[in-house]
Amino acid sequence: MSEHNHSRRTFLRGAGALGAGAAVWAGAGGLSQAGAAPVAQQAGSAAAAAVKGKVYVGYQGWFACTGDNSPVNKWTHWSTGTSPSPGNQTFELYPDISAYPAAGLYQTGYANLRNGTPAKLFSSHSTAVVDQHFRWMQQHGIDGAALQRFGSDIVAIDQPRFRQRNEIQSKARDAAQKYGRGFYIEYDISGLNDANLVSAIRTDWTNTITGSLGLTNSPAYTREGGRPVVHLWGLGVSNRAGTMEGSLELVNWFKNRGCYVIGGVPRGWRTDSNAKPGFGPVYNALHMVSPWNVGNSVVDQQLFNDDMARLRANGQDYQPVIFPGFAWSNWKPGSPRNEIPRRAGNFMWQQAVAVARCGTRSAFIAMFDEYDEATAIAPAATDASQIPANQYFLTLDADGTRVSSNFYMRLSGAATRMINGSAPISTTIPVPPVG
């Protein structure tokens, strides 16, 4: 299985098509790295105390580069094994490389950026890069990260991709502790099958997460009511593994071990729309339901309202998913460029407004670092001067408005405050485009 097949990617567009028919980078915030430590110490326990009333970002942590001294040690997710170069890339949105530590950047095969800077890309295995990501979360008021853990990685025990995942997530733990952010494990069941779904995740949780890595022992590990949080993404998704019986067994296994269980489920979970039929018992067993909304080009207030009403009646919690925009033309040739436009933040902001209005105080932002499908909120190229001169990439000014490379982190912080109720609901974006 290729690196690009191990996530929820192949689910996105089918779900989106159905949904369309329904209704200042490191220095931003004025904190120096040295000055951030006392804040982290004070905020650490509070940040990890809950998932309810918080907004978490999905954290892929999957980029690797040849020469980065990681277990994989080859170009991954930027391209498929060889140096990214014109026509050889699997990502859409170019990062603002000026925002990343030089120690974590690696030379590509592209021409220089139009501003004359060598075209480099970062490695997620770099301690400096992971540290920077969590520092940004702190500076912009983002509560924490759901660390993505893929089925295709956890069955590759003792292979480079397994070790890569473990090392990156250990670095994320350290950074979360340093900057007072919460984190929890989110299993993406892609890459598993009906036969090994339950056993693979049980083994990984027992032997690695709570065993060799001891992640749940971290004071930054997110707990809800004292229970460690675990997220199972793909339950009931039509092209993912798992029978109803096996999925229910897995949910109950975690609950019996004192965990608080979030389920990443299809957007049509209530009606079995674009979902496996008969998964109602699985959905009902979850503590929190998080329907996957990426790919839906419509801001659907009624969808959020109806989800919330069903879950409130069942005594369950709700974690809706919001995202900034979407495109993957560099990975899927023939797909539209700027397929779901960001509209200078208005698309994501109106989703956040709908979430706040539905009555939940929780949300999931997809994603922090997914430059692959242009859903990243992390710093990205603001305009053509910050992308290679010889290859198309989406830039943040694609819709005609210039925004700074950190705009979507600032927007996420503002959305967090509106969703958790510490700021009033505003239909207009409360942060300036450049800042």
Side-chain angles (χ1 to χ4, degrees), residues 60-415:
Q60 305 285 33
W62 59 18
F63 295 105
C65 310
T66 299
D68 65 4
N69 295 315
S70 68
V72 170
N73 196 30
K74 67 178 181 180
W75 289 99
T76 305
H77 273 277
W78 298 122
S79 63
T80 54
T82 58
S83 179
S85 57
N88 179 36
Q89 59 275 314
T90 53
F91 69 107
E92 190 79 3
L93 184 66
Y94 208 88
D96 173 10
I97 60 171
S98 71
Y100 280 95
L105 294 175
Y106 296 85
Q107 182 63 46
T108 68
Y110 299 118
N112 285 350
L113 308 186
R114 293 181 187 275
N115 62 17
T117 303
K120 296 184 178 183
L121 292 167
F122 70 82
S123 168
S124 298
H125 189 262
S126 166
T127 301
V129 167
V130 177
D131 187 271
Q132 180 66 83
H133 284 162
F134 280 81
R135 185 182 178 211
W136 281 327
M137 292 179 205
Q138 181 202 50
Q139 291 172 339
H140 295 92
I142 297 166
D143 291 317
L147 306 186
Q148 313 292 289
R149 195 163 177 86
F150 306 101
S152 49
D153 289 340
I154 67 173
V155 296
I157 296 173
D158 293 330
Q159 295 180 29
R161 66 186 302 164
F162 180 75
R163 298 196 301 273
Q164 182 100 351
R165 183 61 40 191
N166 292 347
E167 291 180 14
I168 290 171
Q169 294 188 334
S170 294
K171 293 176 182 185
R173 171 202 56 205
D174 295 345
Q177 292 174 179
K178 182 177 180 179
Y179 295 112
R181 302 300 91 190
F183 77 95
Y184 60 84
I185 290 296
E186 178 178 353
Y187 283 105
D188 184 323
I189 68 174
S190 306
L192 300 177
N193 55 51
D194 290 357
N196 69 5
L197 170 68
V198 176
S199 61
I201 293 178
R202 279 179 173 178
T203 298
D204 187 71
W205 181 262
T206 302
N207 293 350
T208 305
I209 301 304
T210 63
S212 59
L213 297 184
L215 294 184
T216 55
N217 295 328
S218 169
Y221 196 91
T222 304
R223 293 175 177 269
E224 181 60 49
R227 297 166 291 179
V229 172
V230 63
H231 189 141
L232 304 173
W233 188 91
L235 302 177
V237 173
S238 57
N239 60 353
R240 293 301 188 271
T243 63
M244 187 282 287
E245 293 79 8
S247 299
L248 184 59
E249 179 186 354
L250 184 60
V251 171
N252 285 331
W253 184 85
F254 276 106
K255 291 172 69 175
N256 290 337
R257 276 148 188 78
C259 294
Y260 179 92
V261 185
I262 305 173
V265 305
R267 187 164 65 251
W269 67 279
R270 284 181 287 102
T271 60
D272 283 348
S273 173
N274 196 44
K276 292 180 180 179
F279 265 65
V282 179
Y283 307 145
N284 291 339
L286 296 164
H287 291 113
M288 176 177 271
V289 174
S290 185
W292 189 242
N293 194 43
V294 175
N296 185 4
S297 62
V298 175
V299 179
D300 192 343
Q301 181 72 63
Q302 195 62 50
L303 178 75
F304 293 135
N305 291 349
D306 291 347
D307 281 351
M308 184 65 186
R310 170 72 68 85
L311 293 168
R312 180 182 284 133
N314 288 349
Q316 295 170 281
D317 302 318
Y318 183 32
Q319 187 192 55
V321 173
I322 65 175
F323 67 108
F326 175 90
W328 58 5
S329 69
N330 279 344
W331 179 39
K332 299 285 188 181
S335 298
R337 294 179 175 180
N338 199 20
E339 186 170 349
I340 300 179
R342 294 185 174 218
R343 297 192 281 120
N346 276 289
F347 178 61
M348 179 171 153
W349 185 256
Q350 294 311 316
Q351 292 171 74
V353 169
V355 168
R357 284 175 169 167
C358 84
T360 185
R361 295 291 179 93
S362 311
F364 181 103
I365 297 175
M367 296 281 190
F368 185 81
D369 56 338
E370 185 155 345
Y371 295 95
D372 316 49
E373 296 165 358
T375 63
I377 64 166
T382 58
D383 55 43
S385 72
Q386 293 185 319
I387 64 173
N390 59 349
Q391 174 60 47
Y392 165 80
F393 287 100
L394 184 67
T395 56
L396 296 184
D397 67 346
D399 302 316
T401 300
R402 178 176 176 78
V403 300
S404 55
S405 71
N406 69 353
F407 174 72
Y408 286 92
M409 295 189 296
R410 293 188 288 117
L411 189 69
S412 296

